[in-house]
Amino acid sequence: MSAPARPPAVPAARPEQRRSMVVCAVIGAAVMAAVDEIVFHQILGWHHFYDRSTSGVGLLSDGLLHTAELLALVVGFFLFADLRRRRALAPAHARAGFLLGLGLFQLFDGIVDHKLLRLHQIRYGVDVTPYDWAWNLGGLALLLTGVALAVRAARRPGAAE
């Protein structure tokens, strides 16, 4: 007589906090790139990613940005699914990482792309000061919220990795 079948042993969950944060930061940055690309480049038509050449080059630069953001989304979600499959996702760290990614992309775009490299501006033919403040303060708010969530997640009992 054979022994009764046992269900397969489920390995104990071991959250990977740092990886959860990084993976979701990649997803957050890709989502903010998509928002920028879709809303400001395509729907409103305010600018292209690279506006210092012809409109054809600007359109090409938008396509390259869109490709990069989609690749980051696909890679990010595959890594996210892997964390979920292995029961290694740390949700609090993942939420913090997502907001950090949103804010980092927006601030990088506002400071580096708009002001330092002057690849494009939010709008043309108007005073861009209120647009710059709104874009950068929005990014800073997202970033600071992500930092606050990361600090809170790190202080949780058993958060040491």
Side-chain angles (χ1 to χ4, degrees):
M1 178 159 227
S2 65
R6 292 185 185 177
V10 176
R14 182 171 166 78
E16 297 179 23
Q17 292 130 354
R18 188 169 304 138
R19 187 177 172 96
S20 296
M21 189 176 292
V22 169
V23 165
C24 287
V26 169
I27 294 170
V31 166
M32 186 52 75
V35 168
D36 182 27
E37 171 65 26
I38 293 167
V39 173
F40 296 103
H41 298 210
Q42 295 174 3
I43 294 174
L44 296 174
W46 284 359
H47 63 263
H48 296 292
F49 180 72
Y50 185 71
D51 276 334
R52 300 182 73 166
S53 185
T54 64
S55 62
V57 170
L59 198 56
L60 172 68
S61 70
D62 286 347
L64 294 173
L65 174 64
H66 207 46
T67 301
E69 110 215 352
L70 287 175
L71 288 174
L73 275 175
V74 168
V75 168
F77 277 112
F78 268 106
L79 294 172
F80 183 83
D82 179 59
L83 285 168
R84 296 266 321 207
R85 181 186 58 80
R86 293 184 296 111
R87 299 177 32 191
L89 181 70
H93 291 81
R95 282 189 290 276
F98 182 74
L99 287 169
L100 288 170
L102 291 171
L104 283 173
F105 177 87
Q106 194 165 334
L107 271 181
F108 182 87
D109 186 47
I111 294 170
V112 176
D113 293 341
H114 294 181
K115 297 305 166 197
L116 296 177
L117 299 177
R118 297 195 167 275
L119 296 177
H120 62 263
Q121 296 296 319
I122 294 178
R123 291 192 75 177
Y124 294 97
V126 298
D127 178 16
V128 294
T129 305
Y131 295 97
D132 285 338
W133 279 104
W135 185 252
N136 290 326
L137 288 177
L140 184 62
L142 289 167
L143 184 68
L144 291 176
T145 304
V147 168
L149 289 179
V151 168
R152 190 169 83 181
R155 290 183 179 167
R156 285 183 169 188
E161 193 172 338

